[in-house]
Amino acid sequence: MSKKYIVRCKSVNQNMNGEFVFNNSNFEAPNLLPGEKASVELLYGKDKGKAVVHEIIEPSAERINPECQAYGSCGGCCILHTNYDNQLKLKTDTARKYLERYGEVRDCIGLEERRFNYRNKIIATLSLDKKGRVISGLYEETTHRVVPITRCRLENEHAAEVMATIREFMDKGRIKPYNEDNRKGTLRHVLFRVSAEGETLVVLVSGNKIFPEKNKLAKIIAEKHDFVAGVVLNYNTKKTSFVLGDNEEVLFGNGYITDRMCGMEFRISPRSFYQVNTPVAEKIYTDAIMRAKIQPEDTVLDAYCGIGTIALTAAKLTNAKEILGVELNQAAVRDAKENVKRLGMKNISFICDDAGDYLNAAIGADIHYNCIIMDPPRRGASESFIKAVLRMNPEKIIYISCNPESLARDLRALTIKKYNVDYIQPYDMFAGTAHVETVCLLTRKAQ
Ligand code: SAH
């Protein structure tokens, strides 16, 4: 047994791990809150600087019992051991740590009633337990071992119902999950997309080109669950950590779902990006667009636009002269164009390109946008995009970010000479996890 030490937690870091100092060194441990006294075990080697809580000796008044049995082993959630108000406070603190130097960071906004079962995109990975029964769940945080989860607190409940059917079918029909090491078996993952009304798309991901039971399984899923609008088979035979492969075939119904957001219907394909928490995303989009105070003479660029949700919301809520969305993923652009057609909107178009390349080309062609809305992936915007924004010099920029660290890096480049940050608002889009979404408004400095 390793030695235990008594420590006092002073703060949490961006991973929501508790931080403490011991023998003049900094340590972090999951499941530890500011102010708590705990006995901990220190880790060494590659885990140097990390610790494991053995016992909480003086619990924080903010501590609660996590409402999930897999908490701690699955790695999906990391702040269920504290009440929701405190979860929001800890997220505000994280956002402040990275962003305070650019302006006042407002308190993180969350929807308490949506802190559970909000995920509209669910990925279940399949494996076998020791007795050879099919299990489904999430990978353990740092390995490829599947932690079985029959009911995840964050996911829409429809996924768990269908997964039970799939596991039963596999056990009865002796269908084996795909094994990444020996490349045998078939079903690898199941991806779900669920609309606000519960309409569900089930994407079966096969690691093998041959899946003889595919139609039988699709039929059983559709017959048993009337909320299923489509079953798609996706082939992913490569050794990869990506969930979806390039080829797919529709086995039942549609190959996409439609969801209502900001009063509009959106078509979403398996591969298109769509925010996982629709009601919070609605709040974020509306807030971002209102803050931009878009005028009739404005030309707006929605960069990293996905299926066009922000561009279309801007078209609906404002009378902008022109809106263009740019996005790299072809399937998402196809969805975006389809969405415009169905909604019959004018003055709005989409282009499939790298956001930086497009903006440089636009500058070369003397095209100007006076409002840029940007919503890049976790790594933030590319250097070429930021440089092009500075060259184009729009009056206002709305930056929507899911990572305060890359946001801070990009704000630094944008604020050196040209922009002020007038508004910084964090949102709890991913309740239960350490992630924070932030909306910023930047306006051009007087020259
Ligand atoms: N604004 C959208 C999508 C945001 S997610 C929404 O709210 O739904 C970020 C998007 O950026 C993804 O759709 C991803 O495909 C896209 N993307 C990633 N790299 C890109 C690049 N270099 N140029 C353009 N789009 C990119």
Side-chain angles (χ1 to χ4, degrees):
M1 261 236 316
S2 343
K3 213 164 154 40
K4 309 277 182 318
Y5 299 96
I6 309 289
V7 300
R8 174 98 49 193
C9 174
K10 58 181 172 70
S11 52
V12 296
N13 63 15
Q14 68 276 20
N15 301 321
M16 297 295 151
N17 287 340
E19 296 175 303
F20 62 88
V21 178
F22 184 77
N23 271 352
N24 292 324
S25 295
N26 293 316
F27 288 90
E28 60 174 294
N31 197 354
L32 185 61
L33 292 170
E36 287 187 329
K37 188 172 164 186
S39 96
V40 300
E41 203 176 295
L42 306 179
L43 302 180
Y44 298 96
K46 69 174 176 37
D47 289 325
K48 191 166 176 264
K50 294 187 176 155
V52 178
V53 172
H54 179 247
E55 190 194 346
I56 304 282
I57 298 167
E58 279 173 25
S60 157
E62 314 295 342
R63 179 170 281 276
I64 59 167
N65 279 331
E67 293 179 55
C68 175
Q69 291 186 338
Y71 190 60
S73 62
C74 115
C77 297
C78 59
I79 44 173
L80 297 188
H81 55 281
T82 187
N83 63 62
Y84 192 61
D85 281 348
N86 197 43
Q87 291 182 20
L88 292 179
K89 184 186 167 295
L90 296 178
K91 292 197 178 193
T92 308
D93 292 347
T94 299
R96 291 208 169 119
K97 188 172 130 201
Y98 287 106
L99 305 170
E100 206 158 39
R101 77 191 81 137
Y102 300 106
E104 184 206 341
V105 178
R106 302 160 74 105
D107 290 343
C108 185
I109 295 176
L111 287 181
E112 179 143 25
E113 68 282 11
R114 294 286 301 181
R115 74 189 193 286
F116 289 133
N117 306 112
Y118 61 82
R119 278 199 72 97
N120 57 28
K121 174 184 166 186
I122 296 111
I123 297 167
T125 301
L126 292 149
S127 188
L128 292 175
D129 68 8
K130 283 192 186 120
K131 291 185 181 149
R133 276 175 316 210
V134 175
I135 54 167
S136 61
L138 297 172
Y139 284 130
E140 209 175 39
E141 209 173 351
T142 50
T143 71
H144 263 204
R145 200 180 72 83
V146 174
V147 179
I149 298 168
T150 44
R151 208 160 267 277
C152 164
R153 293 311 315 266
L154 303 193
E155 299 171 355
N156 182 293
E157 291 97 330
H158 282 179
E161 289 178 38
V162 177
M163 276 322 293
T165 304
I166 294 174
R167 283 194 307 268
E168 192 189 320
F169 178 85
M170 291 176 76
D171 278 334
K172 271 193 194 150
R174 307 249 182 279
I175 300 172
K176 290 270 187 291
Y178 181 72
N179 180 317
E180 280 185 347
D181 300 323
N182 65 19
R183 305 184 131 202
K184 293 211 170 104
T186 44
L187 255 197
R188 190 169 186 170
H189 309 280
V190 183
L191 181 143
F192 297 88
R193 299 211 99 137
V194 190
S195 77
E197 270 85 43
E199 189 192 341
T200 302
L201 177 69
V202 183
V203 185
L204 307 167
V205 184
S206 173
N208 200 314
K209 281 202 190 93
I210 301 161
F211 187 7
E213 306 82 358
K214 62 185 186 186
N215 289 316
K216 206 169 154 199
L217 176 56
K219 191 163 173 260
I220 286 178
I221 293 171
E223 272 172 11
K224 208 160 171 192
H225 307 284
D226 57 6
F227 51 76
V228 171
V231 181
V232 172
L233 178 58
N234 177 286
Y235 296 96
N236 185 1
T237 53
K238 293 195 190 130
K239 200 170 173 65
T240 166
S241 55
F242 286 109
V243 172
L244 295 177
D246 293 332
N247 297 317
E248 60 193 35
E249 92 186 73
V250 178
L251 300 177
F252 163 78
N254 296 328
Y256 55 86
I257 55 161
T258 43
D259 193 20
R260 263 191 99 68
M261 189 199 237
C262 297
M264 288 175 286
E265 298 241 310
F266 290 99
R267 171 179 126 160
I268 310 149
S269 302
R271 227 180 307 234
S272 298
F273 178 90
Y274 188 63
Q275 298 291 5
V276 295
N277 186 337
T278 316
V280 179
E282 260 178 344
K283 262 182 168 314
I284 290 174
Y285 294 162
T286 319
D287 183 25
I289 289 160
M290 287 328 211
R291 293 278 158 191
K293 295 209 175 66
I294 293 167
Q295 304 300 311
E297 63 278 11
D298 281 349
T299 48
V300 180
L301 178 72
D302 176 8
Y304 306 89
C305 72
I307 60 164
T309 38
I310 298 176
L312 283 154
T313 309
K316 185 173 178 229
L317 298 181
T318 74
N319 42 13
K321 189 166 145 205
E322 195 197 322
I323 302 173
L324 179 95
V326 58
E327 159 66 46
L328 199 54
N329 177 328
Q330 268 180 18
V333 175
R334 254 198 313 275
D335 284 350
K337 288 184 173 167
E338 200 51 51
N339 289 330
V340 173
K341 223 193 301 171
R342 224 195 16 246
L343 292 161
M345 287 195 166
K346 302 250 160 25
N347 310 335
I348 174 164
S349 46
F350 291 93
I351 179 165
C352 186
D353 202 349
D354 166 80
D357 288 353
Y358 172 73
L359 204 56
N360 278 309
I363 294 169
D366 257 347
I367 297 170
H368 183 74
Y369 297 96
N370 53 347
C371 174
I372 293 184
I373 302 178
M374 53 191 286
D375 183 8
R378 280 194 71 69
R379 61 180 175 277
S382 65
E383 214 179 308
S384 106
F385 182 80
I386 296 287
K387 280 194 179 142
V389 171
L390 289 167
R391 271 173 70 204
M392 184 170 275
N393 205 12
E395 283 155 45
K396 49 206 167 188
I397 302 167
I398 295 281
Y399 194 141
I400 304 174
S401 157
C402 59
N403 180 358
E405 202 171 347
S406 59
L407 172 62
R409 181 201 64 209
D410 291 346
L411 287 184
R412 192 179 133 79
L414 292 167
T415 53
I416 286 177
K417 285 200 190 114
K418 293 207 164 155
Y419 288 91
N420 289 320
V421 183
D422 292 341
Y423 175 79
I424 308 174
Q425 176 65 65
Y427 284 89
D428 192 21
M429 174 101 98
F430 314 98
T433 75
H435 297 292
V436 191
E437 187 87 3
T438 310
V439 174
C440 295
L441 167 68
L442 288 84
T443 52
R444 206 161 56 190
K445 288 182 186 170
Q447 317 242 311

